[in-house]
Amino acid sequence: MKLYRAKDYKDMSRKAANVISAQVIMKPDCVLGLATGSSPLGTYQQLIEWYEKGDLDFSETKSANLDEYKGLPRDNDQSYYYFMYNNFFKHINIDLNNTNIPNGMEPDSAKECARYEKVIADLGGVDLQLLGLGHNGHIGFNEPDAAFEKITHCVDLTESTIEANKRFFATIDDVPKQAYTMGIGTIMRAKKILLIVSGEEKSSILYKALYGPVTPQVPASILQLHNDVVVVADEAALSKFPG
Ligand code: GLP
């Protein structure tokens, strides 16, 4: 695992965007595993800037997103499809037909999860998976649990996640209670993983994820077992590290 220390959110975003651009330049038809949330926003903005300058070309790039709320249509401004389209895809030259996100409107969970696993397998797997870190250590929507869920599945979101995400909805009752997410096994099969973490409130959980016991109670701790993980964390996110 390589840990890169960034000064602040902007610096973290720039360093993360550098890792992603290197991937796209070295393998233009690569499969990017993408994430939503406030953590990757700056990374996407930086990539858009470099694209606009003519330094990046996404015309052959493919993508597979980590997760999607169950029950939200694409045009709901809180759906992850909406997030990805408006914060990244519409600003670059990626072919929308090459972008993949679980379909939150498929009511049959077993069917949708099997479909999404097949989509990823048919793409040949993910080359570089971008991840944010949830306040409780979740990655994608793999919540702390008694066991690691391996493949794409439907999750019941925890109180803490619903609480953390309620700021985006009119009321807490509007926050979806379930989501489709790549499983831990799906994530761990990515050839390379890029975890980005910013802010003091994530510092303790980041420490547990990187140096604590590998346990499904801290889903991100499984990353310790992956052989190609790059972590970019800002000073605030590293501030509660002992020593
Ligand atoms: C959501 C997403 C995660 C994301 C997490 C952290 O729950 N499903 O993929 O990593 O939020 O979000 P943020 O980056 O806004 O702190």
Side-chain angles (χ1 to χ4, degrees):
M1 176 177 305
K2 294 190 199 82
L3 172 61
Y4 292 107
R5 180 181 286 263
K7 221 167 51 224
D8 50 21
Y9 179 82
K10 197 168 181 343
D11 188 32
M12 174 197 79
S13 304
R14 197 178 163 79
K15 285 182 161 64
N18 262 306
V19 175
I20 298 172
S21 343
Q23 174 69 68
V24 172
I25 290 166
M26 287 190 301
K27 187 179 176 193
D29 63 346
C30 66
V31 180
L32 296 178
L34 298 176
T36 53
S38 48
S39 306
L41 261 185
T43 306
Y44 295 145
Q45 276 157 14
Q46 181 65 81
L47 289 169
I48 292 165
E49 231 176 82
W50 288 336
Y51 164 72
E52 284 170 349
K53 275 176 62 193
D55 289 344
L56 279 174
D57 175 13
F58 294 94
S59 58
E60 292 176 55
T61 307
K62 294 161 224 162
S63 72
N65 260 76
L66 279 171
D67 48 10
E68 177 61 284
Y69 286 118
K70 185 172 178 184
L72 287 193
R74 283 176 161 200
D75 60 356
N76 182 299
D77 65 4
Q78 291 309 321
S79 78
Y80 287 167
Y81 180 89
Y82 189 98
F83 177 102
M84 290 309 301
Y85 181 73
N86 287 288
N87 292 305
F88 195 35
F89 297 154
K90 79 170 182 192
H91 304 284
I92 58 171
N93 65 338
I94 197 165
D95 179 346
L96 283 180
N97 294 318
N98 287 334
T99 66
N100 299 280
I101 302 185
N103 175 11
M105 291 310 283
E106 172 55 65
D108 182 339
S109 299
K111 184 173 161 202
E112 178 53 16
C113 295
R115 182 195 72 84
Y116 202 62
E117 278 293 314
K118 185 169 181 319
V119 163
I120 296 168
D122 290 349
L123 287 171
V126 170
D127 289 295
L128 173 62
Q129 177 66 56
L130 176 63
L131 293 177
L133 180 66
H135 289 86
N136 56 9
H138 73 214
I139 46 178
F141 265 135
N142 289 276
E143 298 281 31
D145 207 343
F148 291 113
E149 283 263 11
K150 294 182 193 65
I151 59 170
T152 301
H153 57 287
C154 178
V155 279
D156 293 329
L157 302 178
T158 62
E159 285 301 315
S160 107
T161 299
I162 292 171
E163 189 62 32
N165 290 348
K166 74 169 187 210
R167 62 201 151 115
F168 302 117
F169 293 86
T171 73
I172 196 160
D173 294 330
D174 295 323
V175 187
K177 307 293 178 290
Q178 288 188 312
Y180 290 132
T181 182
M182 282 187 195
I184 290 292
T186 326
I187 294 172
M188 288 292 281
R189 278 196 296 276
K191 296 178 189 85
K192 188 182 187 80
I193 292 180
L194 170 60
L195 175 71
I196 54 173
V197 190
S198 166
E200 197 188 329
E201 72 284 359
K202 301 250 179 98
S203 193
S204 315
I205 194 69
L206 177 61
Y207 186 77
K208 282 190 197 160
L210 301 188
Y211 303 109
V214 175
T215 163
Q217 291 303 327
V218 182
S221 64
I222 193 81
L223 300 176
Q224 294 176 41
L225 302 182
H226 193 283
N227 65 8
D228 193 359
V229 177
V230 173
V231 182
V232 184
D234 66 10
E235 274 170 17
L238 298 169
S239 61
K240 289 190 184 148
F241 277 39

